[in-house]
Amino acid sequence: MKVVIFGCGRTGSTLALQLSAKGHQVTIIEQNPAALRRLGNDHNCEIVLGSGLDDDALIRSGIESADVFFALTRGDNTNLMAAQIVRLKYGCEKVCVKVADPLRADAYRNMGYFCINPAALTAGMMRDWLVGTPYEPIDTYNVLNEELKV
Amino acid sequence: MYMILVGGGNVGMYLAKRLLAHEHEVLLIERDPRHAQRLASQLGEENVMVGDGCEMLTQRDAGFGRADVVVSVTGEDEDNLVVCQMAKTVWNVDRVLARVNDPSHEEVFHQIGVDETVSATGIIFALIEQQISPDVIVPVGALARGNLEVVEVELGPRSAVVGKEVRSLVLPPQTNLVWVLRDEQGIAVDGSTTLQQGDMLVAVVPRDHAEDLREVLSPSRH
């Protein structure tokens, strides 16, 4: 698959290496050249220096023919906006967004975006590790706690 | 009317001042506590709130649920987008307006249903462009929640419509040429008006057809 990843932080770089190890064609969009060291010296990823909010960088990343787009910067709003540009303007339907704020993740999930909230995933897996129950599918972790609802 | 503004920069501050002067109920949300304090001393404590306007808890406490208008004027397009989108979809705010800093982002704002956007960069650019070359369409205002645009255009010597009667023009649907500024005089346009070089033409055009209008008025290719 042709994969475009916006953000070469810890999540983005790890995902890029994992997917390219499986033979997928990975392009990373990253603004900060220093962040690319996270990929190590021996990777197969294409690099586009720029922002996933800019048409120029998106087009250079090959978004028009991409199968999937991941928005993985540290900015929730940046991720949410990039995801919507990619889906609405470039027609890439398969989009995954990292959203740190559980409420915002929930709101955009309701709007039809696949939002992963890392805190909910980590906490849920830790809970199951402690309790000793088998790990569950991602969707059972990736939800907003009742208590947090506004 | 209850109006919530997000972002206490210059735009947010002056907007809040003007709206308060018109006796609206105004709340300006600013993220930086120290800056918010300065704003509060100018606008009144009750009109300023410290918080991140993108967060749902802040939105709840600010009263997004009863707001008539939410205006997001931070310097970051992604923040303005999320504020407006949440105001619309989570809180059902009737009217939302966003400042758009990068004109290329405007399209996405419209696609997600934020009808009213203000792009200072786009307006200034159009004004400069008009100074450099005629036949450039400059947006001067929005009507019908942004679905209609009021635009002005100066007819250059090579414009395809110079010397023609208005009734002979094939205009885009629902487009009206309303007014011409000629030799410092305003003239109401009707079918018999003959357009001249140098006319400053004011038109109302559906947003989707602004580009078509440009085609009609632009220099003829023959």
Side-chain angles (χ1 to χ4, degrees):
Chain A
M1 275 201 278
K2 183 165 167 42
V3 181
V4 175
I5 297 174
F6 175 27
C8 192
R10 294 193 181 88
T11 313
S13 57
T14 308
L15 181 68
L17 293 172
Q18 289 183 1
L19 286 172
S20 66
K22 287 212 178 265
H24 296 293
Q25 186 193 339
V26 178
T27 303
I28 298 182
I29 305 176
E30 168 61 51
Q31 220 153 9
N32 173 14
L36 299 169
R37 72 185 145 74
R38 294 198 176 92
L39 294 168
N41 297 322
D42 189 28
H43 65 82
N44 289 323
C45 307
E46 298 241 0
I47 309 292
V48 171
L49 281 177
S51 163
L53 299 179
D54 289 342
D55 293 310
D56 180 49
L58 284 168
I59 289 167
R60 276 189 289 139
S61 78
I63 194 67
E64 286 154 309
S65 59
D67 298 297
V68 55
F69 177 77
F70 290 90
L72 304 178
T73 76
R74 75 178 108 172
D76 282 0
N77 297 344
T78 304
N79 292 343
L80 289 164
M81 183 165 179
Q84 298 190 80
I85 291 174
V86 163
R87 183 178 278 181
L88 299 171
K89 202 162 171 179
Y90 294 102
C92 179
E93 277 302 312
K94 208 173 169 75
V95 167
C96 175
V97 198
K98 185 178 80 160
V99 183
D101 174 6
L103 288 162
R104 223 170 302 176
D106 190 55
Y108 280 85
R109 227 176 267 134
N110 291 334
M111 293 180 218
Y113 285 84
F114 179 48
C115 298
I116 288 193
N117 178 236
L121 250 59
T122 315
M125 294 183 80
M126 287 174 173
R127 176 199 63 205
D128 288 351
W129 170 79
L130 177 66
V131 178
T133 54
Y135 294 117
E136 297 175 43
I138 181 175
D139 285 343
T140 55
Y141 298 113
N142 195 31
V143 290
L144 181 66
N145 269 48
E146 274 305 315
E147 297 86 337
L148 291 177
K149 286 192 175 156
V150 174
Chain B
M1 287 227 277
Y2 182 33
M3 308 194 173
I4 298 178
L5 314 177
V6 178
N10 281 332
V11 180
M13 218 273 279
Y14 286 105
L15 198 53
K17 258 191 189 165
R18 296 286 293 269
L19 291 170
L20 283 167
H22 284 85
E23 302 193 344
H24 290 292
E25 184 188 358
V26 176
L27 184 67
L28 176 59
I29 303 176
E30 163 60 38
R31 196 159 45 178
D32 176 40
R34 288 176 55 192
H35 186 57
Q37 213 163 32
R38 283 195 293 273
L39 293 168
S41 68
Q42 297 209 31
L43 300 169
E45 294 284 341
E46 69 280 13
N47 299 314
V48 178
M49 174 180 172
V50 185
D52 180 350
C54 305
E55 283 191 3
M56 216 187 278
L57 291 172
T58 311
Q59 295 171 352
R60 182 195 62 191
D61 296 345
F64 268 50
R66 66 175 188 88
D68 299 293
V69 182
V70 168
V71 185
S72 192
V73 289
T74 78
E76 308 294 337
D77 287 351
E78 55 272 34
D79 295 349
N80 295 336
L81 180 112
V82 166
V83 168
C84 288
Q85 201 166 22
M86 303 226 339
K88 262 192 112 82
T89 57
V90 177
W91 303 101
N92 295 313
V93 178
D94 198 30
R95 302 195 71 175
V96 297
L97 197 140
R99 167 183 174 189
V100 180
N101 301 285
D102 178 344
S104 75
H105 288 155
E106 231 165 344
E107 186 185 335
V108 168
F109 277 80
H110 297 152
Q111 273 180 306
I112 63 162
V114 180
D115 305 324
E116 289 167 275
T117 54
V118 178
S119 164
T121 326
I123 291 169
I124 293 169
F125 176 73
L127 286 171
I128 292 171
E129 217 182 13
Q130 193 186 36
Q131 292 299 313
I132 297 167
S133 60
D135 305 317
V136 170
I137 291 192
V138 179
V140 291
L143 299 171
R145 304 202 162 185
N147 291 323
L148 286 177
E149 278 188 357
V150 183
V151 299
E152 65 173 31
V153 57
E154 186 182 340
L155 300 180
R158 296 188 304 121
S159 167
V161 299
V162 165
K164 290 195 176 162
E165 277 193 359
V166 167
R167 67 164 64 91
S168 72
L169 304 179
V170 183
L171 295 171
Q174 293 150 50
T175 299
N176 279 302
L177 308 183
V178 284
W179 200 72
V180 153
L181 182 69
R182 182 181 294 165
D183 306 327
E184 313 277 306
Q185 296 267 322
I187 306 166
V189 172
D190 61 27
S192 67
T193 310
T194 301
L195 297 170
Q196 298 180 7
Q197 176 189 338
D199 280 355
M200 183 66 87
L201 190 60
V202 176
V204 179
V205 58
R207 190 170 63 206
D208 301 345
H209 290 297
E211 188 57 23
D212 304 335
L213 179 64
R214 195 186 62 78
E215 285 286 311
V216 174
L217 302 178
S218 65
S220 103
R221 295 197 186 86
H222 308 292

